[in-house]
Amino acid sequence: MAASTRVAILTVASTLWYIASSSLPALAAEYNGLIEVGDTGKQIVELVRSANRDAGFSGAVLAGRNGKVIAAVAVGESGGKPLEVTTLFEIGSCTKPFTAVAVMKLVEQGKLALDDSIADHLPGVPENCRAITVRHLLQHTSGIPGTNYQGSGTKLAAVLPLFLDGGPRTKPGERHEYWNQGYALLSEVIARASGKSYTAYVRDEIFKPCKMQSSCFTGDRLPKGAVASIGVSTTGRNRGALEHPYGEYGFQYRGMGGLVTNLVDLWRFDRTLAAEKLLTTESIAEMTRPGPEGYALGWRVTRLDSGRTVHYHSGSVRGFLASIRRDPEDDGCLVVLANSDASAPFDLVQSQCEAVMEGREASVELPKQLDPKLIEELAGVYRDEKGRTMTVSREGGLTRALIDWHGPKTHGYLSATDTDQLSFDMMKSASPLTFERANLIEVERDGGAGISALTIVELSLRFERVDEQAAK
């Protein structure tokens, strides 16, 4: 091991030792890039490493139980350098619980009430929207449809008419419909009630008490000593964690996403919340009381087969995926961060780590791997007669195929069959996690034995190989 690498991973060990205090046993003199405690911790670390090796997962995972870190591991790379447990990731909609905590802090400070009309805090709310409350925005029960997302920039007067266009389609409070822009409006409620910008209030009232020293927002400067990951996108160009996905941190993203953080800071957030040093017992109970379809105030709430109740949220944005799951009854949490928005590797890690944490068997039959030489031959871009593309690439030991239908996209994996044809497998997001064959793929070679075309057999749809630069 190079001296510089050894110094880096020893720094990681020191950081996690600091945040976990005496909750971890003494670490070996040479820290090997992870923390694993007990059988559950070892299983999680091995699962994450296997997912990196076999499915191309790139990211970081932390698991806690009984107030202690039992697993912390980073795999994969960013910009040619290995990821570490202190690497920063953008967490997309996992920002929403932080927005909810900020609202609850203002409630405790007497600066607003959950059942205040949004018109009490936002100028220009039309009459037909005055029944919408702060609580409704937090629960996604405003009655405003999720399709009301047009509007951007930093001026409320410019976006409010677009966000609230047409008013509620159902009576506020009755029906859950996920609406990102409700959280954009909450960011302005927070700003006006507190007298600070949304980002300043979150920094002062959440980051500081939680000692989240590396956390920030898209568009911020990189914190001193921190390393931000580069997110690999399946739908557009790659982007750094601090780079705006939507041009600026305006109402098109503020409050609903944009928080940039790492495993260390998220563990500190979890511990401060668990110790009731961030919010009171009553505020936490209010925030985690499920509403329609199990969505509480910034958290989804679900009851496991074991009888325990967990609070969780997921996040997805170009180049990044994230999941935070808190288990108050087990005094623990599970955090999964990825610097790729490829869903299958992420879902694989998330579902299998959850299974291990719940004491269930963690097993999934991955698509059958192809011969490495065949993967190399297949890799590239293919186009049908209507200009739609199929992109084939390696993802760990798997062969990923992405079909762009000029808008909608189909994600799958090519796997071996008993014939010369390939199977196009798609992940079924269910429990247990499975990959199921969707179609057969016929491989066509040119005279020089190179692969020239791929045909989806059931659809008789032929994609011819094209020059990759021309396809961009």
Side-chain angles (χ1 to χ4, degrees), residues 387-457:
R388 299 171 296 193
T389 59
M390 179 191 297
T391 304
V392 179
S393 59
R394 181 191 295 270
E395 197 168 81
L398 302 182
T399 309
R400 185 171 181 276
L402 169 66
I403 304 175
D404 186 338
W405 305 100
H406 287 167
K409 293 179 174 63
T410 300
H411 302 261
Y413 292 83
L414 301 182
S415 64
T417 68
D418 295 333
T419 70
D420 291 337
Q421 294 177 328
L422 302 178
S423 175
F424 184 82
D425 298 343
M426 296 179 64
M427 187 178 66
K428 182 179 180 181
S429 298
S431 182
L433 189 76
T434 58
F435 290 85
E436 296 183 348
R437 183 176 75 82
N439 296 102
L440 288 174
I441 301 291
E442 188 79 44
V443 178
E444 183 179 325
R445 293 180 179 274
D446 57 26
I451 295 175
S452 58
L454 300 175
T455 298
I456 301 176
V457 176

Side-chain angles (χ1 to χ4, degrees), residues 245-458:
Y246 304 111
E248 64 180 337
Y249 199 47
F251 286 111
Q252 65 268 44
Y253 200 44
R254 187 187 303 162
M256 67 183 84
L259 200 156
V260 179
T261 187
N262 60 17
L263 292 183
V264 175
D265 279 4
L266 289 173
W267 173 249
R268 288 171 170 165
F269 170 70
D270 176 81
R271 290 297 86 204
T272 309
L273 198 55
E276 299 178 358
K277 294 180 179 179
L278 195 58
L279 294 173
T280 65
T281 303
E282 294 75 19
S283 292
I284 293 172
E286 184 72 59
M287 187 174 63
T288 56
R289 184 177 298 116
E293 296 191 25
Y295 200 99
L297 308 183
W299 294 95
R300 297 186 186 277
V301 179
T302 190
R303 191 172 182 84
L304 305 177
D305 291 340
S306 64
R308 296 202 312 274
T309 298
V310 296
H311 314 143
Y312 71 99
H313 215 291
S314 59
S316 173
V317 65
R318 193 178 90 240
F320 296 91
L321 296 172
S323 174
I324 301 172
R325 187 171 91 159
R326 303 189 68 245
D327 188 346
E329 295 172 50
D330 205 21
D331 196 20
C333 68
L334 176 67
V335 179
V336 182
L337 307 176
N339 66 321
S340 167
D341 55 28
S343 59
F346 178 87
D347 291 345
L348 174 66
V349 169
Q350 179 186 11
S351 63
Q352 298 310 288
C353 286
E354 287 177 355
V356 170
M357 293 290 285
E358 295 168 22
R360 297 185 284 111
E361 183 180 359
S363 62
V364 62
E365 186 175 346
L366 292 170
K368 294 180 181 179
Q369 295 186 15
L370 302 178
D371 181 90
K373 183 179 179 181
L374 178 58
I375 298 176
E376 186 176 340
E377 291 177 324
L378 284 164
V381 180
Y382 303 78
R383 180 176 289 149
D384 74 354
E385 61 181 8
K386 294 184 178 180
R388 299 171 296 193
T389 59
M390 179 191 297
T391 304
V392 179
S393 59
R394 181 191 295 270
E395 197 168 81
L398 302 182
T399 309
R400 185 171 181 276
L402 169 66
I403 304 175
D404 186 338
W405 305 100
H406 287 167
K409 293 179 174 63
T410 300
H411 302 261
Y413 292 83
L414 301 182
S415 64
T417 68
D418 295 333
T419 70
D420 291 337
Q421 294 177 328
L422 302 178
S423 175
F424 184 82
D425 298 343
M426 296 179 64
M427 187 178 66
K428 182 179 180 181
S429 298
S431 182
L433 189 76
T434 58
F435 290 85
E436 296 183 348
R437 183 176 75 82
N439 296 102
L440 288 174
I441 301 291
E442 188 79 44
V443 178
E444 183 179 325
R445 293 180 179 274
D446 57 26
I451 295 175
S452 58
L454 300 175
T455 298
I456 301 176
V457 176
E458 286 87 337

Side-chain angles (χ1 to χ4, degrees), residues 14-37:
S14 300
T15 303
L16 282 174
W17 176 262
Y18 172 77
I19 62 132
S21 299
S22 60
S23 64
L24 297 175
L27 295 171
E30 185 170 320
Y31 178 63
N32 59 354
L34 59 90
I35 289 175
E36 54 181 23
V37 179

Side-chain angles (χ1 to χ4, degrees), residues 106-280:
L106 288 166
V107 171
E108 290 184 355
Q109 293 164 359
K111 295 181 178 179
L112 62 77
L114 289 174
D115 295 317
D116 284 350
S117 167
I118 61 172
D120 294 341
H121 302 280
L122 302 175
V125 174
E127 187 64 35
N128 63 351
C129 293
R130 290 177 177 266
I132 300 172
T133 66
V134 172
R135 185 191 303 274
H136 296 150
L137 295 184
L138 286 166
Q139 281 188 329
H140 299 286
T141 57
S142 66
I144 303 294
T147 52
N148 276 32
Y149 57 81
Q150 291 80 10
S152 62
T154 58
K155 295 182 178 180
L156 179 68
V159 300
L160 196 67
L162 298 172
F163 289 176
L164 300 179
D165 183 43
R169 306 304 196 268
T170 57
K171 183 179 178 181
E174 287 189 346
R175 179 175 174 271
H176 173 88
E177 182 173 356
Y178 199 81
W179 182 46
N180 273 314
Q181 273 56 37
Y183 273 73
L185 295 183
L186 284 170
S187 75
E188 186 67 8
V189 169
I190 291 167
R192 290 174 182 263
S194 68
K196 300 179 179 181
S197 69
Y198 166 77
T199 55
Y201 187 80
V202 171
R203 287 190 184 96
D204 290 345
E205 299 295 332
I206 301 178
F207 291 175
K208 286 183 180 178
C210 293
K211 295 183 171 59
M212 298 173 68
Q213 298 169 354
S214 299
S215 296
C216 52
F217 294 91
T218 57
D220 286 348
R221 290 183 178 179
L222 183 68
K224 185 177 180 180
V227 176
S229 59
I230 297 171
V232 178
S233 175
T234 62
T235 58
R237 65 179 181 82
N238 298 343
R239 56 176 282 260
L242 291 170
E243 181 184 348
H244 292 305
Y246 304 111
E248 64 180 337
Y249 199 47
F251 286 111
Q252 65 268 44
Y253 200 44
R254 187 187 303 162
M256 67 183 84
L259 200 156
V260 179
T261 187
N262 60 17
L263 292 183
V264 175
D265 279 4
L266 289 173
W267 173 249
R268 288 171 170 165
F269 170 70
D270 176 81
R271 290 297 86 204
T272 309
L273 198 55
E276 299 178 358
K277 294 180 179 179
L278 195 58
L279 294 173
T280 65

